[in-house]
Amino acid sequence: MNETTQNTIHIPVLADEVIQVLKPEPHQKYIDATLGGGGHTALLLESGASVLGFDQDSQAIEKVSKRFSNNRNLQIVNANFITIATKAATLGFDQVDGILFDLGVSSFQLDTPERGFSFNFKAPLDMRMNQSASQTAADIVNTMSEDELFELLITNSQEMKARQIAKAIVMARPVSTTTQLAEIVSKVYGNKRGKIHPATKTFQAIRIAVNQELKIIKPTLKDAFSLLKPGGRLAVISFHEGEDRIVKRTFLEFVESGQAIAPKPQPLVPGNSELTHNTRSRSAKLRYLERLK
């Protein structure tokens, strides 16, 4: 859900591609399952469509509510998208023309130091998208066994030094801040560093675990598909291999069962212009399908 910020207005990832895929028109209904800063929703509203937006982050809800305070075509729900089926039906969005998921962490969350998502700021290890949730990143880092941390790093981010990092974390406990965790990982890598910060995958893996991100993708996509009209489209932007693999396999099930078609089997990715203006979009992939019946 990475978005760049310019003058407090969020620029969404793959914006042109999303509009080309969803093809919004006046009086149609859409669901933005990951509202974030409202960048994609703004484009849908500009077309004259009505939008139901979901976000579990209460701070994001507050900001986006102010941004669209005068727009009657937007309804906002402060909830995780796992609730999409029941809440959408209750609000009259049970037969929609399109649904968008922009997975992962938003730039708003990354750039708010006290949220603890980024190793660029010293802050408590938090990483909760839903701030009312009980488990934080610190809980995971300080209570899991070395083997559990190893499995988490392998499963959620394919971290090549998972065993060494897990061992280093256990030996350094208690770990309480983002910069402390980043330094532990950096020491494991030593001078062998690539284009990205060595702690990137570790932070990703822990964030995914805190928010149970991978576990809820497939059941949520199935619920979302049930809300589409025939001809309606389901679009998903993912940012790493684990997310994209689940999306790809779930979409394939819909296609093989004859319920949907995938007009473009290969994912859409950012062009050079977007990559130049928003480096956080570099790993984004957009997959979509169309409901047949």
Side-chain angles (χ1 to χ4, degrees):
M1 193 196 288
N2 290 301
E3 300 170 318
T4 58
T5 304
Q6 295 179 357
N7 299 324
T8 73
I9 299 299
H10 293 275
I11 310 301
V13 167
L14 293 166
D16 292 341
E17 290 80 358
V18 165
I19 296 305
Q20 290 168 10
V21 165
L22 294 182
K23 301 178 180 179
E25 295 181 3
H27 310 301
Q28 289 185 329
K29 289 183 176 182
Y30 288 85
I31 297 175
D32 185 345
T34 45
L35 194 52
H40 291 115
T41 280
L43 298 175
L44 295 170
L45 292 171
E46 286 174 10
S47 73
S50 295
V51 179
L52 177 63
F54 283 78
D55 206 294
Q56 63 180 323
D57 188 326
S58 58
Q59 289 186 353
I61 289 291
E62 182 180 354
K63 285 181 174 292
V64 84
S65 296
K66 291 179 180 178
R67 178 178 179 181
F68 299 108
S69 60
N70 295 321
N71 197 309
R72 296 181 179 180
N73 287 332
L74 173 63
Q75 296 184 64
I76 297 175
V77 178
N78 186 188
N80 188 292
F81 54 55
I82 192 68
T83 65
I84 191 170
T86 54
K87 293 190 182 299
T90 300
L91 295 169
F93 280 75
D94 53 342
Q95 287 289 300
V96 300
D97 299 279
I99 302 174
L100 173 67
F101 288 82
D102 183 4
L103 303 174
V105 65
S106 71
S107 285
F108 164 71
Q109 291 165 333
L110 285 170
D111 296 335
T112 304
E114 62 269 22
R115 300 295 297 274
F117 284 97
S118 175
F119 43 73
N120 292 319
F121 311 102
K122 183 177 181 179
L125 272 174
D126 192 327
M127 301 192 194
R128 291 173 299 170
M129 293 179 180
N130 179 353
Q131 291 178 289
S132 65
S134 59
Q135 180 176 249
T136 68
D139 294 329
I140 287 176
V141 167
N142 290 303
T143 62
M144 278 191 170
S145 68
E146 179 182 323
D147 285 343
E148 288 172 330
L149 286 169
F150 167 74
E151 289 295 335
L152 183 152
L153 292 167
I154 289 292
T155 301
N156 290 356
S157 64
Q158 297 79 51
E159 168 56 61
M160 62 182 294
K161 292 184 177 292
R163 178 57 69 184
Q164 298 99 307
I165 291 170
K167 183 175 182 179
I169 288 173
V170 171
M171 291 181 65
R173 288 173 176 169
V175 183
S176 59
T177 68
T178 52
T179 49
Q180 186 183 1
L181 178 58
E183 182 61 25
I184 291 168
V185 179
S186 294
K187 285 182 180 178
V188 170
Y189 270 84
N191 295 323
K192 297 179 180 180
R193 302 191 179 192
K195 294 181 180 179
I196 64 173
H197 192 286
T200 299
K201 287 191 173 184
T202 295
F203 271 64
Q204 171 188 294
I206 295 170
R207 187 205 80 223
I208 289 171
V210 169
N211 298 288
Q212 299 185 328
E213 295 172 43
L214 298 184
K215 293 181 180 179
I216 63 176
I217 293 176
K218 183 172 183 176
T220 301
L221 291 181
K222 290 193 170 185
D223 285 345
F225 186 82
S226 71
L227 299 172
L228 292 174
K229 295 178 179 178
R233 290 186 167 188
L234 175 59
V236 184
I237 300 173
S238 61
F239 287 88
H240 62 83
E241 183 181 344
E243 290 175 340
D244 183 58
R245 185 186 307 112
I246 295 171
V247 175
K248 181 179 179 180
R249 289 176 177 173
T250 305
F251 277 15
L252 185 60
E253 290 180 16
F254 287 125
V255 172
E256 290 182 340
S257 68
Q259 298 178 79
I261 58 170
K264 191 175 179 65
Q266 297 303 314
L268 301 175
V269 297
N272 291 331
S273 176
E274 180 168 2
L275 290 171
T276 299
H277 292 93
N278 181 12
T279 57
R280 286 177 176 171
S281 71
R282 64 183 179 271
S283 57
K285 293 181 180 179
L286 171 62
R287 294 184 185 274
Y288 69 101
L289 52 70
E290 181 177 311
R291 180 166 186 168
L292 294 176
K293 57 184 179 179

